[in-house]
Amino acid sequence: MKRILSCMQPTNRLQLGNYLGALRNWVALQDEGQDENGSANECLYGVVDLHAITVPHNREALANSTRETAAAYIAAGVDPDRSYIFAQSAVPAHAQLAWLFTATTPMGWLDRMTQFKEKAGKNKERASAGLYSYPILMAADILVYKATHVPVGDDQKQHLELARDIASSFNEKFNGGEEFFPQPEPVITGAATRVMSLRDGTQKMSKSAESDMTRINLTDDADTISKKIKKAKTDAGVVPSNDKECEGRPEVANLIGIYAALSDQTKEQVMAEFGGQQFGVFKPALADLAVEKLSPITNRMNELMADPAEIDAILRAGADKANELAQPTVDETMKLMGFWS
Ligand code: TYM
């Protein structure tokens, strides 16, 4: 049996990249090999609220963002009867294992992480120590469940490699080279593993980017989605017919990728259909498709958010199961490291 683990931060609203790069694949893995005996895979999907405090956060909004993120998972098709949805802060084993790893991971491994450099920018001195050691907590999120597969967008690849290094180094140092932590496999699939900003094709679409016009939020209504796509940056040319015609046109290539992912086609199929046409034809088609695919998710999220007690009950049940799976890993890890118990 595969054990699937993945997480999102409850910072701001989820955007299209979160959905196409990750969430959709979470649902596919949950449904993979499903028969009358249940799911073939055991899936755990966390809302990583401890990660969210590594940048200044809004105390009043945190709990609600956690609920909203859980609601987005469910609205997109994660079924709380088959997958476990939980808040990271409700499972103390994550932070415990993170400390054991923090104390034994070389600084040099963290120095290589490009996301810290991007997020801290010129303000490295003021960035929190948590933002720097964040990839260690992420490794703990994964390894505390001995997860075998981790579905994520392309931007998390380097963090996954670190998790693999931490696992092998632990096995080497504390378990005589035998496997205690398995090597988690990244699952990075689909036509949109890296969705870019609608205004600048060299920047990743992100929930924390300043301008809302750069992204499609899962909470946007149909008019807003259409407006953002119609205003998305393109150029004076026509829709490309092949990869070569996408070269040097990152915004255009991005829209093709989004269309392909939303319509479950390859980019080649999309270019075969629209190649040579004006963006005045392609953009409305993309806007209609995005509205058709995203509106049901937005509507369901709104319904779920109207009943926060129900979401809290789902998060509580998920945390019970997550604690049951995670705590023994910390206990065994401590034993292997030689702690008194
Ligand atoms: P986060 O919260 O930034 O994003 C959640 C997921 O969405 C993917 N994603 C994207 N995919 C394609 N295009 C984009 N523009 C885009 N933006 C975001 C991310 O790759 C991710 O899969 N460190 C993680 C959260 C995390 C985690 C974990 C993930 C913490 N612990 C353990 C997996 C396993 C993060 O900040 O993701």
Side-chain angles (χ1 to χ4, degrees), residues 239-276:
V239 178
S241 303
N242 50 51
D243 278 346
K244 186 128 192 48
E245 290 177 18
C246 287
E247 278 171 20
R249 304 169 77 189
E251 291 84 11
V252 169
N254 186 42
L255 295 184
I256 303 280
I258 293 175
Y259 193 104
L262 284 172
S263 61
D264 285 312
Q265 297 184 85
T266 61
K267 291 182 200 170
E268 286 67 31
Q269 285 170 315
V270 177
M271 289 191 282
E273 185 181 344
F274 289 98

Short mmCIF file of all heavy atoms in Angstrom, two decimals, residues 239-276:
data_model
loop_
_atom_site.label_atom_id
_atom_site.label_comp_id
_atom_site.label_asym_id
_atom_site.label_seq_id
_atom_site.Cartn_x
_atom_site.Cartn_y
_atom_site.Cartn_z
N VAL A 239 -1.91 32.40 -31.38
CA VAL A 239 -1.71 31.24 -30.50
C VAL A 239 -0.71 30.29 -31.17
O VAL A 239 -0.84 30.00 -32.36
CB VAL A 239 -3.06 30.52 -30.24
CG1 VAL A 239 -2.86 29.28 -29.38
CG2 VAL A 239 -4.07 31.47 -29.60
N PRO A 240 0.30 29.84 -30.42
CA PRO A 240 1.32 28.96 -31.02
C PRO A 240 0.75 27.60 -31.44
O PRO A 240 -0.23 27.14 -30.86
CB PRO A 240 2.35 28.78 -29.90
CG PRO A 240 1.63 29.12 -28.65
CD PRO A 240 0.56 30.10 -29.01
N SER A 241 1.40 27.00 -32.44
CA SER A 241 0.95 25.68 -32.91
C SER A 241 1.88 24.58 -32.42
O SER A 241 1.58 23.39 -32.58
CB SER A 241 0.95 25.64 -34.44
OG SER A 241 0.14 26.65 -34.93
N ASN A 242 3.04 24.95 -31.90
CA ASN A 242 3.99 23.94 -31.42
C ASN A 242 4.93 24.57 -30.37
O ASN A 242 4.90 25.79 -30.17
CB ASN A 242 4.82 23.37 -32.59
CG ASN A 242 5.41 24.50 -33.42
OD1 ASN A 242 6.05 25.40 -32.87
ND2 ASN A 242 5.19 24.48 -34.73
N ASP A 243 5.74 23.70 -29.74
CA ASP A 243 6.62 24.17 -28.67
C ASP A 243 7.57 25.26 -29.14
O ASP A 243 7.88 26.20 -28.40
CB ASP A 243 7.46 23.00 -28.14
CG ASP A 243 6.67 22.18 -27.13
OD1 ASP A 243 5.61 22.68 -26.67
OD2 ASP A 243 7.09 21.04 -26.83
N LYS A 244 8.04 25.12 -30.38
CA LYS A 244 9.00 26.09 -30.91
C LYS A 244 8.38 27.50 -30.89
O LYS A 244 9.05 28.47 -30.52
CB LYS A 244 9.38 25.66 -32.35
CG LYS A 244 10.46 26.46 -32.98
CD LYS A 244 11.58 25.56 -33.53
CE LYS A 244 12.82 26.34 -33.92
NZ LYS A 244 13.29 27.31 -32.95
N GLU A 245 7.11 27.58 -31.26
CA GLU A 245 6.45 28.90 -31.30
C GLU A 245 6.14 29.45 -29.89
O GLU A 245 5.69 30.57 -29.74
CB GLU A 245 5.16 28.81 -32.12
CG GLU A 245 5.43 28.63 -33.61
CD GLU A 245 4.15 28.46 -34.43
OE1 GLU A 245 3.05 28.80 -33.94
OE2 GLU A 245 4.27 27.96 -35.56
N CYS A 246 6.37 28.60 -28.86
CA CYS A 246 6.18 29.07 -27.47
C CYS A 246 7.46 29.70 -26.93
O CYS A 246 7.44 30.38 -25.90
CB CYS A 246 5.83 27.90 -26.55
SG CYS A 246 4.17 27.28 -26.77
N GLU A 247 8.58 29.45 -27.62
CA GLU A 247 9.87 29.91 -27.09
C GLU A 247 9.89 31.42 -26.91
O GLU A 247 9.42 32.16 -27.78
CB GLU A 247 11.01 29.48 -28.03
CG GLU A 247 11.42 28.05 -27.76
CD GLU A 247 12.39 27.52 -28.82
OE1 GLU A 247 13.03 28.33 -29.53
OE2 GLU A 247 12.49 26.28 -28.92
N GLY A 248 10.41 31.84 -25.75
CA GLY A 248 10.48 33.28 -25.47
C GLY A 248 9.12 33.90 -25.19
O GLY A 248 9.00 35.13 -25.14
N ARG A 249 8.08 33.10 -25.03
CA ARG A 249 6.73 33.63 -24.77
C ARG A 249 6.16 32.94 -23.52
O ARG A 249 5.19 32.17 -23.61
CB ARG A 249 5.83 33.35 -25.97
CG ARG A 249 6.37 33.91 -27.28
CD ARG A 249 5.59 33.37 -28.47
NE ARG A 249 4.29 34.04 -28.62
CZ ARG A 249 3.35 33.63 -29.49
NH1 ARG A 249 3.55 32.55 -30.24
NH2 ARG A 249 2.21 34.27 -29.57
N PRO A 250 6.78 33.19 -22.35
CA PRO A 250 6.39 32.44 -21.15
C PRO A 250 4.93 32.62 -20.76
O PRO A 250 4.28 31.68 -20.29
CB PRO A 250 7.33 32.98 -20.06
CG PRO A 250 7.85 34.27 -20.57
CD PRO A 250 7.87 34.16 -22.07
N GLU A 251 4.38 33.82 -20.98
CA GLU A 251 2.98 34.05 -20.58
C GLU A 251 2.03 33.22 -21.45
O GLU A 251 1.05 32.66 -20.96
CB GLU A 251 2.60 35.54 -20.71
CG GLU A 251 3.29 36.45 -19.70
CD GLU A 251 4.68 36.89 -20.11
OE1 GLU A 251 5.07 36.66 -21.29
OE2 GLU A 251 5.39 37.46 -19.27
N VAL A 252 2.37 33.16 -22.74
CA VAL A 252 1.54 32.41 -23.68
C VAL A 252 1.62 30.91 -23.36
O VAL A 252 0.60 30.21 -23.27
CB VAL A 252 2.01 32.71 -25.13
CG1 VAL A 252 1.36 31.76 -26.12
CG2 VAL A 252 1.73 34.17 -25.48
N ALA A 253 2.85 30.44 -23.16
CA ALA A 253 3.04 29.01 -22.84
C ALA A 253 2.27 28.65 -21.57
O ALA A 253 1.68 27.56 -21.46
CB ALA A 253 4.52 28.71 -22.66
N ASN A 254 2.24 29.57 -20.62
CA ASN A 254 1.55 29.33 -19.35
C ASN A 254 0.04 29.15 -19.58
O ASN A 254 -0.58 28.25 -19.02
CB ASN A 254 1.81 30.52 -18.42
CG ASN A 254 1.26 30.33 -17.03
OD1 ASN A 254 1.36 29.24 -16.46
ND2 ASN A 254 0.65 31.37 -16.49
N LEU A 255 -0.54 30.01 -20.42
CA LEU A 255 -1.99 29.90 -20.66
C LEU A 255 -2.32 28.59 -21.37
O LEU A 255 -3.35 27.96 -21.09
CB LEU A 255 -2.49 31.09 -21.50
CG LEU A 255 -2.40 32.48 -20.83
CD1 LEU A 255 -3.02 33.54 -21.73
CD2 LEU A 255 -3.08 32.50 -19.46
N ILE A 256 -1.44 28.16 -22.26
CA ILE A 256 -1.66 26.87 -22.95
C ILE A 256 -1.64 25.74 -21.91
O ILE A 256 -2.47 24.84 -21.92
CB ILE A 256 -0.55 26.61 -24.01
CG1 ILE A 256 -0.48 27.73 -25.03
CG2 ILE A 256 -0.70 25.23 -24.65
CD1 ILE A 256 -1.50 27.70 -26.12
N GLY A 257 -0.66 25.81 -21.01
CA GLY A 257 -0.55 24.78 -19.96
C GLY A 257 -1.79 24.75 -19.07
O GLY A 257 -2.28 23.68 -18.71
N ILE A 258 -2.29 25.93 -18.73
CA ILE A 258 -3.48 25.99 -17.88
C ILE A 258 -4.68 25.37 -18.62
O ILE A 258 -5.43 24.58 -18.05
CB ILE A 258 -3.80 27.46 -17.47
CG1 ILE A 258 -2.69 27.99 -16.55
CG2 ILE A 258 -5.16 27.56 -16.79
CD1 ILE A 258 -2.82 29.48 -16.19
N TYR A 259 -4.81 25.74 -19.89
CA TYR A 259 -5.94 25.18 -20.66
C TYR A 259 -5.82 23.65 -20.72
O TYR A 259 -6.80 22.92 -20.52
CB TYR A 259 -5.96 25.76 -22.09
CG TYR A 259 -7.26 25.48 -22.81
CD1 TYR A 259 -8.22 26.47 -22.97
CD2 TYR A 259 -7.55 24.21 -23.32
CE1 TYR A 259 -9.43 26.22 -23.60
CE2 TYR A 259 -8.75 23.94 -23.95
CZ TYR A 259 -9.69 24.95 -24.09
OH TYR A 259 -10.90 24.68 -24.71
N ALA A 260 -4.60 23.18 -20.99
CA ALA A 260 -4.38 21.73 -21.11
C ALA A 260 -4.74 21.03 -19.80
O ALA A 260 -5.47 20.03 -19.79
CB ALA A 260 -2.92 21.45 -21.48
N ALA A 261 -4.27 21.58 -18.69
CA ALA A 261 -4.53 20.93 -17.39
C ALA A 261 -6.03 20.94 -17.08
O ALA A 261 -6.58 19.92 -16.65
CB ALA A 261 -3.75 21.63 -16.29
N LEU A 262 -6.68 22.06 -17.32
CA LEU A 262 -8.11 22.15 -16.97
C LEU A 262 -8.97 21.26 -17.86
O LEU A 262 -10.03 20.80 -17.45
CB LEU A 262 -8.60 23.60 -17.09
CG LEU A 262 -8.19 24.56 -15.98
CD1 LEU A 262 -8.58 25.99 -16.33
CD2 LEU A 262 -8.83 24.16 -14.64
N SER A 263 -8.50 21.02 -19.10
CA SER A 263 -9.33 20.22 -20.02
C SER A 263 -8.82 18.77 -20.12
O SER A 263 -9.29 18.01 -20.97
CB SER A 263 -9.33 20.86 -21.41
OG SER A 263 -8.01 20.89 -21.93
N ASP A 264 -7.86 18.42 -19.27
CA ASP A 264 -7.29 17.07 -19.27
C ASP A 264 -6.75 16.67 -20.65
O ASP A 264 -6.98 15.57 -21.13
CB ASP A 264 -8.33 16.03 -18.82
CG ASP A 264 -8.54 16.08 -17.33
OD1 ASP A 264 -7.54 16.08 -16.60
OD2 ASP A 264 -9.70 16.15 -16.90
N GLN A 265 -6.08 17.61 -21.27
CA GLN A 265 -5.44 17.32 -22.56
C GLN A 265 -3.95 17.59 -22.43
O GLN A 265 -3.50 18.14 -21.43
CB GLN A 265 -5.99 18.27 -23.63
CG GLN A 265 -7.47 18.13 -23.90
CD GLN A 265 -7.88 19.05 -25.03
OE1 GLN A 265 -7.76 18.71 -26.20
NE2 GLN A 265 -8.33 20.24 -24.69
N THR A 266 -3.22 17.25 -23.50
CA THR A 266 -1.81 17.64 -23.52
C THR A 266 -1.74 19.04 -24.13
O THR A 266 -2.68 19.48 -24.80
CB THR A 266 -0.98 16.68 -24.39
OG1 THR A 266 -1.49 16.75 -25.72
CG2 THR A 266 -1.05 15.25 -23.87
N LYS A 267 -0.58 19.70 -23.92
CA LYS A 267 -0.39 21.02 -24.52
C LYS A 267 -0.45 20.91 -26.05
O LYS A 267 -0.96 21.81 -26.72
CB LYS A 267 0.96 21.60 -24.10
CG LYS A 267 1.01 21.95 -22.63
CD LYS A 267 2.34 22.56 -22.26
CE LYS A 267 2.56 22.45 -20.78
NZ LYS A 267 3.86 22.77 -20.30
N GLU A 268 0.06 19.79 -26.58
CA GLU A 268 0.07 19.59 -28.04
C GLU A 268 -1.36 19.59 -28.57
O GLU A 268 -1.65 20.18 -29.61
CB GLU A 268 0.77 18.27 -28.41
CG GLU A 268 2.30 18.30 -28.28
CD GLU A 268 2.78 18.44 -26.83
OE1 GLU A 268 2.09 17.95 -25.90
OE2 GLU A 268 3.84 19.07 -26.62
N GLN A 269 -2.26 18.91 -27.85
CA GLN A 269 -3.65 18.87 -28.30
C GLN A 269 -4.28 20.26 -28.29
O GLN A 269 -5.02 20.62 -29.20
CB GLN A 269 -4.48 17.93 -27.39
CG GLN A 269 -4.20 16.45 -27.65
CD GLN A 269 -4.83 15.56 -26.58
OE1 GLN A 269 -4.75 15.82 -25.39
NE2 GLN A 269 -5.46 14.48 -27.03
N VAL A 270 -3.96 21.04 -27.27
CA VAL A 270 -4.51 22.39 -27.18
C VAL A 270 -3.98 23.25 -28.34
O VAL A 270 -4.73 23.98 -28.99
CB VAL A 270 -4.16 23.04 -25.82
CG1 VAL A 270 -4.66 24.48 -25.75
CG2 VAL A 270 -4.73 22.22 -24.68
N MET A 271 -2.66 23.10 -28.61
CA MET A 271 -2.07 23.90 -29.69
C MET A 271 -2.61 23.45 -31.05
O MET A 271 -2.78 24.26 -31.96
CB MET A 271 -0.54 23.83 -29.63
CG MET A 271 0.00 24.60 -28.43
SD MET A 271 1.77 24.84 -28.45
CE MET A 271 2.35 23.24 -27.91
N ALA A 272 -2.95 22.15 -31.17
CA ALA A 272 -3.53 21.66 -32.43
C ALA A 272 -4.91 22.30 -32.62
O ALA A 272 -5.31 22.62 -33.74
CB ALA A 272 -3.64 20.14 -32.40
N GLU A 273 -5.63 22.51 -31.52
CA GLU A 273 -6.98 23.07 -31.64
C GLU A 273 -6.96 24.59 -31.89
O GLU A 273 -7.71 25.09 -32.71
CB GLU A 273 -7.77 22.76 -30.35
CG GLU A 273 -9.23 23.19 -30.44
CD GLU A 273 -10.01 22.89 -29.16
OE1 GLU A 273 -9.53 22.08 -28.32
OE2 GLU A 273 -11.10 23.48 -29.00
N PHE A 274 -6.08 25.29 -31.15
CA PHE A 274 -6.15 26.76 -31.20
C PHE A 274 -5.01 27.42 -31.99
O PHE A 274 -5.05 28.63 -32.22
CB PHE A 274 -6.15 27.34 -29.78
CG PHE A 274 -7.43 27.09 -29.03
CD1 PHE A 274 -7.53 26.04 -28.13
CD2 PHE A 274 -8.55 27.89 -29.25
CE1 PHE A 274 -8.71 25.80 -27.45
CE2 PHE A 274 -9.73 27.67 -28.57
CZ PHE A 274 -9.82 26.62 -27.67
N GLY A 275 -3.99 26.65 -32.36
CA GLY A 275 -2.82 27.23 -33.03
C GLY A 275 -3.23 28.09 -34.23
O GLY A 275 -4.11 27.71 -35.00
N GLY A 276 -2.60 29.25 -34.35
CA GLY A 276 -2.87 30.14 -35.48
C GLY A 276 -4.04 31.08 -35.24
O GLY A 276 -4.25 32.03 -36.00
#
